[in-house]
Amino acid sequence: MLHSIVTRPSQDNTSDTQALARTPDCAMFLGVGAASAAELGNSACVICSNDSPWLLIDCGHDTLLRFKRAFGGQSLPQAVFITHLHYDHIGGLEQLYFKAALSGQKVRLYVPVQLIQSLCAMLAYTGLAEQRADIWHTFELHPVGEHFFHQQVRLNCYPVRHQAPGSAFSLHLPGRFFYSGDTRPIPELLIHQIGQGEIIFHDCVASGNPSHAGLDELLREYPPAILARICAYHYHGEDDIRAFEEAGIGYAKPQQIIPFC
């Protein structure tokens, strides 16, 4: 899908251009929906470099099917960042393990350290009877603290507000993008940390609840300069879209490619 939109660099590029090729330049949302919005897909986003997947954020029940549709022959992600442990965000990990293990592939799994014990418990019974190896021989677990490096690029990780403290995390590449994960409004984070013109992918529904930010709360909590950079996702459907449009808030669509600044 990306081949017709993003130009592939020639093979005789200089080393500077090759270094630039490792830097993400756009995002593709595979799904943008809340857990109950099946037609919109589980919220998952592929960060891309040129026309290739660079990092997958979350892996819900339908994420791998949508990934294969988008990228064809390159049907499995090579690296995944996990924002939190609700099943609409990790329900595809077991499927990813089986596909990767049976094809002899490794998948780097970036997981905030606070989530690792619970994730290990959730995947404890996942494995193949045909192999004398557990899931962590296929998933290369990379614990994430305040930051980590992926393909020589440093990304920041911040806790957000989603139910219990320390249960959900955001992802930030300065100057490129901020991805909130599931969260309530976080003005203390966006105002003080996200100040280099990044596009802000923000969890939002028309009517907020204890787990997700509501549109009225975003309009109340964030200044105009931040609202202008927000691209909402994890919403319910057409009613939410109409509310975003009336409020002048941008929103992501399934399979949409969104360039970074």
Side-chain angles (χ1 to χ4, degrees):
M1 175 178 286
L2 290 179
H3 289 269
S4 62
I5 299 176
V6 183
T7 302
R8 183 188 298 275
S10 61
Q11 294 183 351
D12 59 348
N13 285 338
T14 65
S15 58
D16 288 343
T17 303
Q18 290 172 348
L20 182 62
R22 293 193 297 268
T23 304
D25 50 34
C26 67
M28 173 189 280
F29 274 84
L30 301 177
V32 297
S36 60
E39 68 282 0
L40 295 174
N42 293 145
S43 287
C45 182
V46 181
I47 305 302
C48 299
S49 176
N50 293 315
D51 59 353
S52 298
W54 189 78
L55 178 67
L56 172 63
I57 304 176
D58 288 337
C59 187
H61 300 289
D62 62 0
T63 298
L64 294 185
L65 176 61
R66 290 172 176 264
F67 188 95
K68 185 174 182 178
R69 288 174 179 170
F71 298 103
Q74 190 170 359
S75 59
L76 291 181
Q78 297 179 354
V80 185
F81 175 81
I82 300 299
T83 64
H84 66 294
L85 301 184
H86 284 173
Y87 278 105
D88 59 319
H89 294 264
I90 65 163
L93 285 181
E94 184 175 65
Q95 182 185 23
L96 176 58
Y97 161 71
F98 288 129
K99 289 180 177 293
L102 291 171
S103 61
Q105 298 183 49
K106 302 287 187 180
V107 178
R108 177 65 61 89
L109 206 61
Y110 294 104
V111 184
V113 292
Q114 294 92 327
L115 306 181
I116 288 177
Q117 183 174 357
S118 295
L119 180 63
C120 287
M122 296 170 79
L123 296 175
Y125 298 100
T126 298
L128 286 169
E130 299 89 342
Q131 296 185 2
R132 293 180 177 270
D134 60 34
I135 191 172
W136 303 112
H137 289 83
T138 296
F139 285 161
E140 297 178 339
L141 179 63
H142 186 117
V144 172
E146 294 180 351
H147 69 270
F148 65 97
F149 287 89
H150 177 58
Q151 296 189 11
Q152 302 180 359
V153 176
R154 173 173 164 152
L155 298 105
N156 300 324
C157 177
Y158 314 113
V160 294
R161 297 177 174 179
H162 182 62
Q163 298 185 1
S167 65
F169 296 84
S170 59
L171 188 63
H172 177 214
L173 179 55
R176 295 285 176 157
F177 72 89
F178 173 82
Y179 191 94
S180 74
D182 288 10
T183 188
R184 302 282 296 143
I186 42 175
E188 70 285 353
L189 179 56
L190 294 191
I191 290 172
H192 294 287
Q193 296 286 357
I194 318 302
Q196 298 183 39
E198 300 92 336
I199 187 168
I200 299 171
F201 300 118
H202 202 300
D203 168 27
C204 185
V205 291
S207 299
N209 56 56
S211 300
H212 303 282
L215 176 58
D216 60 332
E217 295 169 324
L218 265 61
L219 297 175
R220 182 178 65 246
E221 297 283 348
Y222 296 143
I226 288 179
L227 292 174
R229 291 154 52 200
I230 284 179
C231 181
Y233 74 97
H234 207 279
Y235 50 87
H236 292 294
E238 291 298 326
D239 289 343
D240 286 13
I241 289 174
R242 282 192 292 270
F244 296 152
E245 291 176 342
E246 291 174 1
I249 296 295
Y251 59 92
K253 301 176 183 179
Q255 303 296 304
Q256 181 181 8
I257 297 170
I258 303 174
F260 300 148
C261 298

